[in-house]
């Protein structure tokens, strides 16, 4: 019996290793050559990326795990909406040929920026579930998107903030990859895209504080206080970031994911003020506040980067925390009002003109 037990354990280990290495949604790993190159980054140490001020609380301790299990067992009936969310039907070709500066939010952190005729998709996760195995992940609140991916015209660039499943989705990339001219990503994330069949020539990787131009648009890869990884063994093997995206007339800040930190003030001093900020405000918990801001911190981060109008993101698509699904938007709007911050709350699929005198502020989630 002992021999049988040992054989079963060995088989399970082998199957697990094969699954993690061969199942495409897990992505790829940086080559030895790239790992050597990453050592030049001040944010890379002992083959891992890091945010200097992040404490050990990002590593779950036993008491944290126990409290989380307790709360998950207890449950929360308001963790998901009980009916379909209202959304605007998005026509991908409606603004074709126009030079207005526009932004459209598709739920969570997926957005389309149209700046002076250039189309940029930010963290385009259009999948049904933020999971490598779709049947096991929590499902998207809305069964449908406000458009069909196949309807999208050519996308000039996809910009990614990091490699977590709710931001980088294998199936979405497979549908998008032939429509996209360039993928712009933080260090290491290109390894996933290469494994998924994207030519390395169409991928550019960047470290924090890198500055460069794409089709006349100025971009800067800026810090974020988060982490990365797509399986049990590659945590922090790729970099995570936020992005500064600027034209001659318009500046946009995209926060990606992350906890509150001194980097927001540094970004504001170096690149602000911003006409528009796209700021994470959901999927938080005090037990992991180092890696996801609380809504009140979101408002302070917007102030730190010297933001004009703020659109809260990272909510209204998936349940990745234990708070009520409407808590993020209700808390962030209350904090914004208290601090005198201009906040816009477009519906999913609603296109907003950047720099307009009037931004949507409907309470559509009620």
């Amino acid at each position: 019996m002992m021999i049988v037990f040992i054989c079963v354990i060995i088989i399970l280990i082998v199957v697990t290793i094969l699954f993690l290495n061969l199942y495409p949604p897990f992505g790829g790993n940086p080559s030895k050559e790239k790992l050597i190159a990453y050592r030049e980054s001040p944010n890379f140490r002992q083959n891992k990326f890091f945010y200097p001020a992040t404490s050990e609380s990002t590593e779950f301790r036993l008491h944290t795990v126990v409290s989380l299990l307790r709360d998950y067992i207890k449950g929360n009936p308001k963790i998901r909406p009980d009916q379909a969310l209202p959304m605007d039907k998005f026509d991908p070709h409606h603004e074709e040929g126009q030079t207005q500066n526009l932004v459209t939010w598709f739920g969570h952190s997926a957005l389309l920026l149209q700046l002076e005729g250039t189309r940029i998709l930010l963290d385009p996760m259009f999948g049904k579930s933020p999971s490598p195995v779709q049947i096991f992940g929590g499902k998207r609140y809305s069964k449908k998107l406000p458009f069909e991916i196949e309807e999208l015209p050519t996308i000039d660039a996809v910009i990614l903030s990091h490699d977590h499943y709710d931001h980088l989705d294998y199936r979405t990339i497979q549908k998008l990859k032939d429509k996209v001219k360039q993928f712009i990503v933080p260090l290491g994330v290109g390894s996933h895209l290469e494994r998924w069949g994207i030519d390395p020539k169409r991928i550019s990787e960047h470290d924090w504080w890198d500055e460069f131009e794409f089709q006349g648009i100025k971009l800067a890869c800026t810090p974020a206080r988060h982490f990365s990884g797509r399986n049990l063994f590659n945590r922090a093997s790729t970099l995570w970031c936020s992005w500064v995206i600027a034209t001659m007339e318009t500046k946009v800040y995209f926060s990606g994911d992350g906890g509150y930190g001194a980097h927001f003030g540094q970004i504001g001093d170096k690149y602000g003020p911003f006409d528009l900020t796209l700021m994470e405000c959901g999927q938080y918990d005090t037990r992991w506040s180092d890696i996801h801001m609380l809504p009140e911190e979101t408002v302070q981060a917007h102030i730190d980067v010297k933001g004009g109008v703020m659109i809260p993101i990272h909510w209204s698509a998936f349940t990745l925390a234990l708070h009520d699904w409407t808590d993020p938007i209700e808390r962030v709007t209350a904090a914004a009002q208290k601090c005198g911050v201009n906040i816009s709350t477009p519906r999913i699929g609603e296109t907003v003109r950047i720099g307009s005198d009037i931004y949507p502020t409907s309470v559509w989630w009620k």
Side-chain angles (χ1 to χ4, degrees):
M1 289 297 294
M2 181 58 70
I3 294 174
V4 172
F5 177 75
I6 292 173
C7 288
V8 169
I9 294 299
I10 292 173
I11 290 170
L12 287 174
I13 292 172
V14 171
V15 169
T16 299
I17 292 172
L18 289 173
F19 181 58
L20 292 175
N21 282 279
L22 299 178
Y23 187 55
F26 286 123
N29 294 308
S31 65
K32 290 182 180 179
E33 292 76 17
K34 284 192 174 183
L35 287 174
I36 292 171
Y38 297 160
R39 290 174 189 166
E40 300 298 317
S41 169
N43 313 302
F44 192 72
R45 185 174 57 207
Q46 296 178 343
N47 287 336
K48 291 185 180 294
F49 291 96
F50 67 97
Y51 179 93
T54 300
S55 73
E56 291 184 354
S57 63
T58 56
E59 301 288 347
F60 283 174
R61 302 305 180 191
L62 180 59
H63 69 276
T64 305
V65 174
V66 170
S67 66
L68 282 170
L69 285 173
R70 178 199 65 209
D71 291 349
Y72 273 109
I73 291 170
K74 181 180 177 181
N76 177 6
K78 297 181 180 179
I79 207 169
R80 294 177 58 89
D82 55 11
Q83 58 186 356
L85 299 182
M87 64 175 66
D88 283 12
K89 179 68 175 176
F90 175 70
D91 180 359
H93 297 277
H94 178 66
E95 304 295 341
E96 207 165 3
Q98 295 198 26
T99 57
Q100 286 185 328
N101 294 329
L102 308 169
V103 61
T104 308
W105 178 54
F106 300 120
H108 206 61
S109 297
L111 302 114
L112 174 65
L113 275 179
Q114 294 172 266
L115 299 177
E116 297 182 358
T118 296
R119 294 189 187 87
I120 300 172
L121 276 175
L122 301 174
D123 285 1
M125 196 297 189
F126 298 140
K128 296 179 180 179
S129 174
S131 167
V133 183
Q134 299 287 286
I135 60 173
F136 294 125
K139 297 297 185 287
R140 183 182 290 274
Y141 296 163
S142 303
K143 292 183 179 180
K144 293 184 178 181
L145 294 166
F147 66 97
E148 297 294 333
I149 296 178
E150 293 74 15
E151 298 172 351
L152 288 174
T154 298
I155 301 298
D156 294 288
V158 162
I159 294 181
L160 299 173
S161 65
H162 64 298
D163 70 0
H164 284 159
Y165 290 100
D166 56 321
H167 296 259
L168 174 59
D169 177 61
Y170 166 72
R171 293 165 183 83
T172 298
I173 296 299
Q174 290 300 306
K175 293 181 178 180
L176 281 175
K177 65 181 183 181
D178 293 333
K179 295 177 177 287
V180 179
K181 294 180 182 178
Q182 188 73 21
F183 291 84
I184 301 171
V185 304
L187 294 178
V189 176
S191 300
H192 303 311
L193 302 177
E194 287 182 36
R195 185 182 178 188
W196 297 341
I198 296 170
D199 188 336
K201 294 178 182 178
R202 295 167 55 207
I203 304 167
S204 62
E205 291 190 345
H206 302 278
D207 200 355
W208 291 349
W209 305 117
D210 282 357
E211 298 176 351
F212 56 101
E213 284 196 12
F214 174 75
Q215 294 189 182
I217 295 174
K218 294 182 178 180
L219 298 169
C221 178
T222 45
R225 188 175 187 173
H226 201 50
F227 70 107
S228 64
R230 293 178 72 85
N231 66 48
L232 297 173
F233 306 110
N234 65 359
R235 183 184 174 96
S237 63
T238 64
L239 188 60
W240 51 93
C241 69
S242 56
W243 287 97
V244 171
I245 306 167
T247 67
M248 292 295 291
E249 297 181 355
T250 302
K251 277 199 272 188
V252 176
Y253 175 69
F254 173 56
S255 73
D257 278 6
Y260 181 76
H263 60 280
F264 290 116
Q266 296 166 358
I267 293 166
D269 290 342
K270 189 174 178 67
Y271 298 109
F274 292 93
D275 301 282
L276 177 70
T277 69
L278 309 165
M279 302 293 286
E280 176 209 290
C281 80
Q283 319 316 319
Y284 50 82
D285 192 296
T286 55
R287 288 166 288 197
W288 58 73
S289 60
D290 272 355
I291 56 174
H292 283 294
M293 290 185 286
L294 305 179
E296 294 76 18
E297 292 175 315
T298 297
V299 173
Q300 185 58 53
H302 168 86
I303 294 170
D304 290 354
V305 300
K306 300 179 173 65
V309 176
M310 175 176 69
I311 294 180
I313 61 173
H314 206 248
W315 74 286
S316 195
F318 307 108
T319 293
L320 301 172
L322 292 162
H323 54 66
D324 292 2
W325 80 273
T326 56
D327 264 5
I329 194 62
E330 290 174 354
R331 284 177 61 174
V332 80
T333 51
Q337 184 176 13
K338 182 178 179 181
C339 295
V341 165
N342 293 322
I343 189 169
S344 180
T345 55
R347 294 181 299 276
I348 294 172
E350 182 177 5
T351 296
V352 177
R353 184 167 69 84
I354 303 171
S356 172
D357 294 332
I358 301 175
Y359 279 82
T361 56
S362 66
V363 188
W364 59 264
W365 56 91
K366 292 289 190 180

